Amino acid sequence: MYITCLDLEGVLVPEIWIAFSKESGIPELCRTTRDEPDYDKLMKWRLGILKEHGLGLKEIQATIEKIDPMPGAKEFLDELRSLSQTIIISDTFAQFAGPLMKKLGLPTIFCNSLEVAESGEITGYKMRCEKSKLTTVKALQSIGFETIAGGDSFNDLGMIQASKFGFLFRSTEQIKKDYPDLPAFEEYGELLSWLKDCLAK
C-alpha cells in the first residue's frame, strides 16, 4: 500500500517567509530552506530578525491570510487524494498552516509548533521530531506503507531519497543538478501522470 508524502511550501503554496519578507519590507527574510540546509540555523536567524523589528505571530498570520494555493494545486491535491493516501509533511508551524489547509480542502498535515509569548512575540519553536520528514517516512514504512515523496528544497531530500519513488517539484537548478537521478517536474499535470504510473506499480 502506498502513501504519498508532499512538502507544502514551494510545492502547493507559495513560500510563507518570502511573502512576509515582501509584506514587511525586510529582504533578509527571503532566505528559505532552498538557500540554507541547516533548518535550526535558519529559524534562529529568522527569529532574531523578527525580534529586531518588533514583529510577531499576528503580523505573519495577517500575511498568511492573503496567501492562496498555487494555481492548480488544490485540484492536483484533490485528484491525488482520490488515488492515494496523502500526507503533507512540512517544516512549517501549526500556527501558520491552518488558513492554508482550509484553502487546500483540509488535507492531513504533520508540522511543527511555535512558542509564542502573551505579547505575540515568537520566542522559539518546537520540532515535532528530529529530521521530521525523513523520520516520518521511515515510521510509515515501518508500519507497512511504501512511500512516495516529493518536495523542492534541501530539507526534503532525506524523505525523497528514502522513499520507493521520490521526485523534485519546482526545485532550484542547483538541487536538480546535484541530484540528477531524481525526476524533476514543473507542472502538476506531468507530475500527476508520473504519480499514477508509480501507484500502478
Side-chain angles (χ1 to χ4, degrees):
M1 182 181 286
Y2 286 107
I3 192 163
T4 304
C5 303
L6 296 175
D7 179 35
L8 177 64
E9 294 176 67
V11 174
L12 298 170
V13 303
E15 294 279 353
I16 291 168
W17 288 97
I18 290 177
F20 186 63
S21 168
K22 292 174 182 172
E23 189 83 11
S24 63
I26 304 171
E28 299 96 316
L29 288 174
C30 268
R31 193 166 178 78
T32 71
T33 50
R34 287 176 166 219
D35 312 298
E36 175 53 69
D38 187 330
Y39 190 73
D40 186 57
K41 180 179 174 183
L42 177 63
M43 274 305 301
K44 285 177 178 172
W45 182 75
R46 284 168 169 167
L47 295 186
I49 292 173
L50 292 178
K51 188 175 181 67
E52 180 187 330
H53 290 270
L55 297 169
L57 180 60
K58 181 179 70 175
E59 289 81 9
I60 300 174
Q61 286 178 327
T63 295
I64 292 169
E65 289 288 349
K66 301 175 190 174
I67 296 175
D68 287 321
M70 294 176 175
K74 184 179 183 300
E75 294 77 9
F76 160 76
L77 190 57
D78 286 347
E79 186 160 355
L80 178 58
R81 289 168 73 191
S82 76
L83 301 169
S84 164
Q85 294 291 321
T86 303
I87 298 174
I88 296 172
I89 306 177
S90 174
D91 278 338
T92 194
F93 305 96
Q95 295 93 332
F96 289 1
L100 298 169
M101 293 305 98
K102 287 179 185 174
K103 292 178 182 180
L104 285 168
L106 296 175
T108 299
I109 181 169
F110 293 170
C111 59
N112 306 306
S113 59
L114 292 168
E115 295 167 352
V116 185
E118 284 187 19
S119 64
E121 178 188 349
I122 301 171
T123 56
Y125 60 96
K126 185 175 181 183
M127 301 299 280
R128 188 170 46 80
C129 57
E130 190 177 349
K131 295 183 180 177
S132 60
K133 297 187 179 192
L134 174 59
T135 301
T136 301
V137 158
K138 286 189 170 180
L140 291 167
Q141 292 166 350
S142 77
I143 56 171
F145 287 100
E146 293 275 19
T147 58
I148 300 171
D152 68 322
S153 298
F154 286 109
N155 63 334
D156 300 312
L157 291 168
M159 72 170 179
I160 291 170
Q161 292 177 308
S163 292
K164 182 166 185 180
F165 300 108
F167 64 91
L168 296 169
F169 187 74
R170 295 182 183 171
S171 190
T172 65
E173 291 306 316
Q174 189 60 53
I175 291 175
K176 287 189 282 188
K177 182 180 174 185
D178 290 346
Y179 297 88
D181 54 318
L182 294 178
F185 304 94
E186 297 297 321
E187 301 301 329
Y188 293 118
E190 60 177 356
L191 173 56
L192 193 59
S193 294
W194 181 82
L195 286 167
K196 285 177 180 178
D197 288 342
C198 294
L199 291 164
K201 292 175 181 175

